[in-house]
Amino acid sequence: MIYATGSRGGQVTERVVEPYHIMAYGRSWHLIAYDQRRQEVLQFKVDRVQEAEILDTTYTVPRDFDLDAYMGDAWGIMRGAAGEPELVELFFEPEAGRWVTEETWHHSQQSETLPDGRVRVTFWVGITPEMVSWLLYYGSRVQVMAPPWLRERVAEEHRKAAGLCESASERINDL
């Protein structure tokens, strides 16, 4: 296949891969495959495949390949960006909590509805930038209770966003 990387400036390379699994993630499809060039199992975003050709060779997916083990305890698909797994505790407002519990976001997910209608959700997960973005999506409808460093990171991102909005409003008023 001819593949444009998401990193390295979109560098285009030719790869011979042995597909193990195709999975939907977010708004795209991802191919988990053994890459003969790098001699390891990698993830490829299908949208970045520019050309593909089926070869007349065969292969066998190793019996010991385990997709769950490959994905590990990371949040999402950014396996290399995850820290060590840690407890994440979140309190969602009732409506957002219902949305969150309609899906399984991670295999460690635990949920409970509190007497006031809020939903407590916990994960044992390696936190990635994807998780931070996911939390930002819920805005004021989620409180990060643990770990403290994640609570501060999310709060800092909200402060930055508020600052940008204030700056934009001031520039518009100056026009």
Side-chain angles (χ1 to χ4, degrees):
M1 70 181 178
I2 305 298
Y3 185 75
T5 63
S7 58
R8 295 185 302 281
Q11 178 184 10
V12 177
T13 58
E14 184 173 329
R15 309 286 184 112
V16 176
V17 298
E18 300 170 0
Y20 288 5
H21 185 81
I22 296 178
M23 66 181 202
Y25 184 78
R27 289 173 271 182
S28 60
W29 289 91
H30 294 261
L31 171 67
I32 310 299
Y34 180 80
D35 180 3
Q36 291 184 3
R37 183 170 151 248
R38 298 250 315 260
Q39 296 191 354
E40 63 181 309
V41 178
L42 299 174
Q43 297 176 41
F44 299 94
K45 188 173 181 185
V46 174
D47 295 355
R48 294 188 189 131
V49 175
Q50 296 179 347
E51 293 179 37
E53 176 184 344
I54 297 174
L55 303 177
D56 288 332
T57 59
T58 62
Y59 67 95
T60 303
V61 176
R63 285 193 173 131
D64 63 347
F65 178 74
D66 180 330
L67 182 63
D68 291 332
Y70 174 77
M71 296 306 294
D73 288 320
W75 177 272
I77 62 171
M78 296 177 71
R79 298 170 38 243
E84 289 297 315
E86 57 189 306
L87 177 67
V88 174
E89 181 181 25
L90 309 168
F91 284 7
F92 287 91
E93 293 300 312
E95 184 178 34
R98 283 192 302 277
W99 299 335
V100 168
T101 58
E102 286 177 352
E103 296 186 49
T104 300
W105 296 94
H106 190 265
H107 61 84
S108 67
Q109 181 173 329
Q110 300 284 317
S111 306
E112 71 173 302
T113 301
L114 303 173
D116 64 1
R118 291 180 305 153
V119 178
R120 177 179 178 264
V121 180
T122 61
F123 302 99
W124 183 258
V125 67
I127 298 167
T128 64
E130 286 175 277
M131 180 175 234
V132 174
S133 294
W134 181 74
L135 292 168
L136 291 171
Y137 167 81
Y138 288 100
S140 64
R141 297 170 299 207
V142 63
Q143 291 178 300
V144 178
M145 306 307 288
W149 74 264
L150 179 60
R151 178 176 52 247
E152 182 52 38
R153 172 78 189 279
V154 169
E156 180 60 26
E157 291 294 327
H158 283 302
R159 285 191 289 272
K160 286 180 188 176
L164 289 173
C165 289
E166 289 171 13
S167 294
S169 292
E170 290 170 6
R171 285 193 301 270
I172 290 170
N173 290 336
D174 289 344
L175 296 177

